[in-house]
Amino acid sequence: MDAQGCVLGLDVGGTGMKGAVLDHGLRPLETVRRPTPRAEGPLAVVDAITDTLLTLNAMAAERELPVHHAGVVVPGIVDDERQRALWSANIGWRDLPLAALLEERTGIRVTLGHDVRAGGLAERALGAARGARDVLFVAIGTGIAAALVCDGEPISSGGYAGELGHVAVEPGGRPCACGGTGCLETVASATAVAAAYTARAGRAVTGAADVAALAVRGDPVARAVWQRAADGLADALATATTLLAPESIVLGGGLAEAGDLLLDPVRAGLGQRLTFQRPPALVRAELGDWAGCLGAGLAALRAAGRTPTTPRTGVPTP
């Protein structure tokens, strides 16, 4: 891998995709954001991923930088060893050889990974959990999932580890896309927060950020919905803390952009639920909603036989 080369990182979420051309220090040279066309079906999402990788490759070519590898991270269940996207409730694919498909379509070597595991590894290597050996990274967006790093090693378990969003926090509650009921995702995901406010208030909001803004202004319905989400997160995190004893819990994803409005009630609720357990540090992700993209780039660098050459500075902007 020559000193002038680059890698591509692409984070595919249930709502949108974030991609970047990254140098060897994981500094963004070019970035792109696009919607994820999940309503059009899983094949349309594969087409959109292909097109975005080709766009990033063209951006690198304009800078006369050879692309040595691409990292693509997706939600759901991902088998890292076989490089297959096994299942996603939000996108709908089943046992898809995604890395091979993308390599065939683009001619770029691709490493496939899980979006949240990638974000967790990026936060541990570059962000809020630097230096910690036991980390729980929780991404709260369209869905909710977690990445587990225990004794310095990521836990995958064939791609099935970390599905915190499908821990039941309201038994007998609302149906979840996974087939269960009362899952954390039905209470505390950005989608659930917006839907709950719309149902209770009788007027629509465009997203969870609107609910957060209304809660700050004292809207009682928004405050109730927000507190319910915080309580659900505290329940799930208390269970995770009891089982895993993380030194640090890092909250990321779109909902964590609310900062202390989310962290303060979750921190208080978690403290109330713990007794003998080691209390973890609960912090906001430093890499924002670009953690997955940077984690994808980190995986691409490692697949190409490299580690970041210098500490990364600056978070990509749209």
Side-chain angles (χ1 to χ4, degrees), residues 76-77 87 89-90 143-145 162-169 176-186:
I77 307 298
W87 174 80
N90 290 320
I144 299 176
E163 290 298 321
L164 190 71
H166 300 292
V167 170
V169 295
C176 179
C178 75
T181 57
C183 294
L184 181 62
E185 278 193 10
T186 70

Side-chain angles (χ1 to χ4, degrees), residues 7-10 18-22 28-32 56 290 293 316:
V7 295
L8 308 181
L10 180 59
K18 294 172 286 290
V21 178
L22 301 159
L29 306 175
E30 302 281 355
T31 64
V32 63
L56 291 168
W290 285 91
C293 179

Side-chain angles (χ1 to χ4, degrees), residues 25-249:
L26 291 179
R27 286 176 292 261
L29 306 175
E30 302 281 355
T31 64
V32 63
R33 281 184 183 262
R34 290 183 174 176
T36 301
R38 61 174 178 149
E40 299 172 27
L43 293 182
V45 176
V46 175
D47 290 341
I49 295 170
T50 300
D51 185 64
T52 304
L53 283 177
L54 291 173
T55 297
L56 291 168
N57 192 52
M59 289 176 169
E62 288 178 3
R63 288 176 171 264
E64 300 183 347
L65 292 173
V67 172
H68 296 284
H69 214 93
V72 177
V73 297
V74 299
I77 307 298
V78 178
D79 188 328
D80 294 336
E81 289 188 7
R82 295 195 299 142
Q83 290 287 280
R84 298 178 78 93
L86 298 183
W87 174 80
S88 171
N90 290 320
I91 294 178
W93 47 44
R94 298 288 187 276
D95 198 18
L96 185 69
L98 187 54
L101 280 175
L102 294 174
E103 288 188 349
E104 180 181 347
R105 290 182 173 203
T106 66
I108 304 167
R109 289 184 295 168
V110 174
T111 292
L112 180 69
H114 184 258
D115 56 351
V116 179
R117 283 199 296 275
L121 290 173
E123 286 290 347
R124 182 174 178 268
L126 310 167
R130 285 187 301 273
R133 288 187 58 79
D134 301 298
V135 179
L136 178 68
F137 172 71
V138 183
I140 313 167
T142 307
I144 299 176
L148 317 174
V149 179
C150 295
D151 290 329
E153 295 296 328
I155 305 300
S156 173
S157 297
Y160 287 87
E163 290 298 321
L164 190 71
H166 300 292
V167 170
V169 295
E170 288 188 349
R174 293 179 61 83
C176 179
C178 75
T181 57
C183 294
L184 181 62
E185 278 193 10
T186 70
V187 173
S189 67
T191 304
V193 166
Y197 182 85
T198 297
R200 291 191 187 190
R203 60 181 183 275
V205 291
T206 58
D210 290 349
V211 181
L214 288 165
V216 169
R217 295 202 295 267
D219 183 299
V221 176
R223 286 190 168 187
V225 169
W226 199 260
Q227 186 61 52
R228 176 174 174 253
D231 287 342
L233 282 164
D235 283 336
L237 294 179
T239 298
T241 297
T242 302
L243 290 173
L244 304 167
E247 298 168 70
S248 179
I249 296 177

